[in-house]
Structure formats: C-alpha cells, structure tokens
Amino acid sequence: LADAMIAEVVVVSDCDDDDAVVSSSASSAATVLAVDCRQEYCQPQVAFLANGALLLRINALLLENGGHLRNAQELKSFPKDTIRHGLWLVNDLETPRLKPVDVMSGEEHGTYDCCNGSYGRLGVAEGFRIDRTRTRIVVTARRIGTNTITYSDDLFQLQLGEAG
C-alpha cells in the first residue's frame, strides 16, 4: 500500500450559508469520517440520504475492534487484505461507524463489486444514482473472488430509509 492513492471523507460543520464558503475556523470543525484506501481502483462517492445518514461507496480498511480507518497516516501499519470495497452507511456523523449496505441479497458484503466504472467502455456512468426523495438508490454490482469470471453487472434498486 505504499504507493496507494487515498481519499478522505470529511464533514465540515462550519459553513457560511450566504456564499457557501467554508469559514476560517473550519479546520477545528472538520471531521474525517472515513479513508478510501484504494482510490486508484474506483473513486469514492458520497451522498446524504433524506434521513440524514451518509451513503458512501469506498474501499474501507476495517479494524479488528469493529471500527474503520479514519487516519490516513496509519495506513502503512495495516495489512491490505482488510480493505473491503462496497457501499456503507454512516448514521451518526458525531461518532461515525461504517455499516455495510447489502446490495446482493444472500451474498456476504465484500464478495461483490460496486464499481462499474473500472471496466468496460469509457464514458460509462460510474457509481450509484439516488432518486430525488433521497430514499432510493440504483447501483450495479458483480460477484468477485469466485471461479466464475463475469463481465456483466446486475442492476439493483435499494430502499435506504425514510425521510425525517
């Protein structure tokens, strides 16, 4: 992982609504929610849902204590095999915990890939799409790590929470 590109998912709580510019005191109000450990594989995608939860498509490094990597400086000290690609929810921004979103019913999270932009012809839209109510998403996924090679994605529609 020494050459891996990373991305941080950061929430800034101090913003001037008049011109949507982050204030000068924002450095103290910025919280790193997660680190995407393999950005070169697929770009992270983040969206707020109607209920205030945050939906992420990232390559998360899971820790033995049930948490996940939030400090990019610590990346070198962890084995690569604990990185898991997929969709995740963060329900509480104050104490962020990644909760896996099960896309393929009956399949273990991480045994399928949600990054259709990394293969196929150029120009294909990448990532999930969210409806205007911010309660449903559409995403493609394909099984990985099996003896069967597949070049097609399946399309899934997921209900991820009610407004409010």
Side-chain angles (χ1 to χ4, degrees):
L1 286 176
D3 298 325
M5 295 187 333
I6 61 167
E8 292 179 328
V9 178
V10 179
V11 170
V12 179
S13 60
D14 190 10
C15 186
D16 182 356
D17 290 334
D18 292 336
D19 54 10
V21 174
V22 176
S23 75
S24 59
S25 64
S27 61
S28 63
T31 303
V32 177
L33 299 181
V35 174
D36 187 314
C37 299
R38 291 185 59 206
Q39 182 182 337
E40 79 283 3
Y41 169 66
C42 80
Q43 296 176 359
Q45 185 179 8
V46 180
F48 277 102
L49 300 176
N51 63 4
L54 193 62
L55 177 65
L56 302 94
R57 184 196 63 183
I58 62 171
N59 300 287
L61 193 147
L62 304 178
L63 305 176
E64 289 181 9
N65 66 5
H68 63 281
L69 183 69
R70 292 178 54 200
N71 182 345
Q73 300 301 319
E74 298 174 1
L75 181 59
K76 290 184 256 180
S77 63
F78 292 101
K80 182 179 176 181
D81 61 356
T82 58
I83 295 174
R84 188 186 317 164
H85 170 77
L87 293 181
W88 308 87
L89 280 176
V90 173
N91 290 311
D92 182 359
L93 300 181
E94 297 294 320
T95 54
R97 299 285 283 188
L98 292 179
K99 176 183 173 191
V101 174
D102 293 319
V103 175
M104 296 179 126
S105 181
E107 299 290 331
E108 182 180 345
H109 189 266
T111 62
Y112 47 84
D113 189 351
C114 297
C115 183
N116 59 347
S118 64
Y119 30 71
R121 66 170 224 242
L122 294 175
V124 174
E126 179 182 342
F128 59 81
R129 296 295 180 256
I130 193 165
D131 76 336
R132 73 180 86 179
T133 67
R134 304 191 86 65
T135 59
R136 289 181 303 191
I137 68 161
V138 175
V139 66
T140 61
R142 73 172 65 186
R143 286 174 183 79
I144 58 173
T146 65
N147 293 332
T148 306
I149 297 175
T150 178
Y151 294 102
S152 67
D153 294 351
D154 294 320
L155 185 64
F156 297 91
Q157 179 178 308
L158 305 174
Q159 181 77 28
L160 291 178
E162 298 301 321

